Amino acid sequence: QVQLVESGGGLVQAGDSLRLSCAASGPSLKSYIMGWFRQAPGKEREFMAAITWGGIRSPLGTSVSGRFTIFRDNAQNTVYLQMNSLKPEDTAIYYCAAALDSVIPVTARAYSRWGQGTQVTVSS
């Protein structure tokens, strides 16, 4: 099966930037749509961004308002989430996910493969 491993999380201050990585591997990998989600304690999993390996992007989740950018490196089978102007409310576990679909999905239930997450903590 497709396997996903997130990295790049950590503790930063408000206003800082952070880049998360998702290393992907497995059969038919390039058939999957890649997405980023986050989940804070007591809250539902929230859509951040998604991209195809051809570079087609979905609109960003409304809560990040253009502060985040998703991009990929096909040669390295890696998808990134660039996060700028971080706020304390961005604190969450960030997950990489993969979906098989004909249109880019923006709901967590549409994604069948998930990484185990990486913690992002933004201090004030």
Side-chain angles (χ1 to χ4, degrees), residues 31-61:
S31 297
Y32 285 79
I33 297 164
M34 307 298 297
W36 281 100
F37 293 78
R38 70 184 181 189
Q39 188 165 24
K43 297 184 178 180
E44 294 184 347
R45 196 158 295 187
E46 177 187 14
F47 173 77
M48 296 285 96
I51 193 170
T52 72
W53 292 101
I56 304 300
R57 295 175 172 85
S58 69
L60 296 174

Side-chain angles (χ1 to χ4, degrees), residues 9-18 20 38 67-68 83-94 119-124:
L11 174 63
V12 298
Q13 295 182 347
D16 284 353
S17 296
L18 199 62
L20 306 182
R38 70 184 181 189
R67 295 183 295 117
F68 294 6
M83 305 185 293
N84 298 325
S85 302
L86 284 163
K87 305 174 181 179
E89 51 262 45
D90 294 321
T91 296
I93 301 175
Y94 284 71
Q119 177 71 46
V120 173
T121 302
V122 184
S123 66
S124 59

